[in-house]
Amino acid sequence: MPPPTLGQVTLNLVNEERRLQGLQPLEPDLLLVSAARAHAEDLARTGTIGHEGSDGSTPAQRVTAAGYVWTSVGQNVATGQTSPEEVVTAWMKSEPHRRNLLNPRFTSAGMATIDAPATRWGTYWVMVYAGGAQTPAPGSVRCHP
């Protein structure tokens, strides 16, 4: 069995934080991974950090564009951390990020990490959270890049 990816390790750590608060774990979803990756690539390409895309898109618009049918959407971004443990610790210390991570309305998540050593920030982390009317198709779960 191959070692877990950064996304899998990060999701496991997030789910451990949720478990400690009595919350259900987030299920991995490839559509949300797609939305997270698109934003992480955009941040790395532009050398910026934020929730708005260089085209003005919001997390909700990117999740919709990826094809996810949602009722609630959130997103955490981070830069510069070198491990899943560091990024989850940073998110837990930030009230808005912690609120997203522990939001009981969110049932699924997608994670993307981009290494861009030539940029000011170096590493970009994006985790997209969603809850919705959608039940993930079998091909879109249990495989978290």
Side-chain angles (χ1 to χ4, degrees), residues 18-131:
R18 290 175 66 87
R19 185 191 67 76
L20 291 171
Q21 298 299 316
L23 298 170
Q24 293 296 313
L26 297 168
E27 290 292 327
D29 188 283
L30 289 180
L31 296 175
L32 298 179
V33 170
S34 176
R37 177 157 300 283
H39 191 54
E41 289 173 349
D42 184 44
L43 295 176
R45 183 178 47 76
T46 59
T48 60
I49 183 67
H51 296 285
E52 185 176 299
S54 63
D55 61 356
S57 63
T58 66
Q61 289 168 328
R62 289 187 295 274
V63 168
T64 298
Y68 191 97
V69 180
W70 58 271
T71 57
S72 56
V73 171
Q75 176 181 268
N76 284 354
V77 297
T79 56
Q81 291 82 3
T82 60
S83 71
E85 293 80 9
E86 282 184 42
V87 77
V88 172
T89 297
W91 285 339
M92 288 300 289
K93 289 180 179 179
S94 162
E95 188 53 39
H97 293 98
R98 179 184 174 89
R99 204 169 29 251
N100 273 344
L101 196 142
L102 298 177
N103 189 325
R105 293 179 306 170
F106 298 146
T107 56
S108 299
M111 178 73 203
T113 303
I114 301 291
D115 287 319
T119 67
R120 174 180 176 198
W121 304 107
T123 304
Y124 295 81
W125 302 78
V126 177
M127 184 170 249
V128 175
Y129 309 93

